[in-house]
Amino acid sequence: MTKRQDVNEIAFSILRETTKESVKEKKPAAVALGRLGGLKGGKARAEKLSANRRSQIAKKAAMARWSKKKKFDVPIKYIEK
């Protein structure tokens, strides 16, 4: 059973076939090292941050998340009851 490809994957495979380019294979050792660094990166960063700095980062994230304007925001006065 083949996996289903989206339009971008199909376009990429057509481009690769027409230009005769091959996709470079990743080296397993490099992939393992990158994954290892990625797995411990966030935890190590969190341990280095002070409680005050973590709080500042969390507040900034919350403000960014909640300040986004909704696509279909309608003022309450225009909604019929």
Side-chain angles (χ1 to χ4, degrees):
M1 180 179 230
T2 60
K3 80 171 195 152
R4 192 172 162 159
Q5 292 181 325
D6 72 353
V7 177
N8 293 323
E9 291 174 331
I10 295 169
F12 178 71
S13 64
I14 292 171
L15 178 69
R16 191 175 59 215
E17 287 178 24
T18 56
T19 59
K20 302 294 181 200
E21 290 183 21
S22 62
V23 176
K24 294 181 182 178
E25 294 296 322
K26 295 182 179 182
K27 296 178 184 177
V31 171
L33 279 175
R35 176 164 168 70
L36 183 62
L39 287 174
K40 61 181 167 182
K43 188 174 181 181
R45 178 173 181 257
E47 288 173 357
K48 288 182 184 179
L49 292 174
S50 68
N52 187 30
R53 181 65 180 133
R54 280 196 312 271
S55 177
Q56 289 174 343
I57 293 170
K59 285 177 185 176
K60 183 178 177 183
M63 290 298 294
R65 189 170 43 248
W66 291 102
S67 67
K68 291 180 183 174
K69 187 164 178 110
K70 303 275 189 288
K71 205 174 196 180
F72 298 106
D73 266 351
V74 178
I76 294 176
K77 65 181 180 180
Y78 293 115
I79 299 175
E80 291 183 30
K81 293 182 181 181

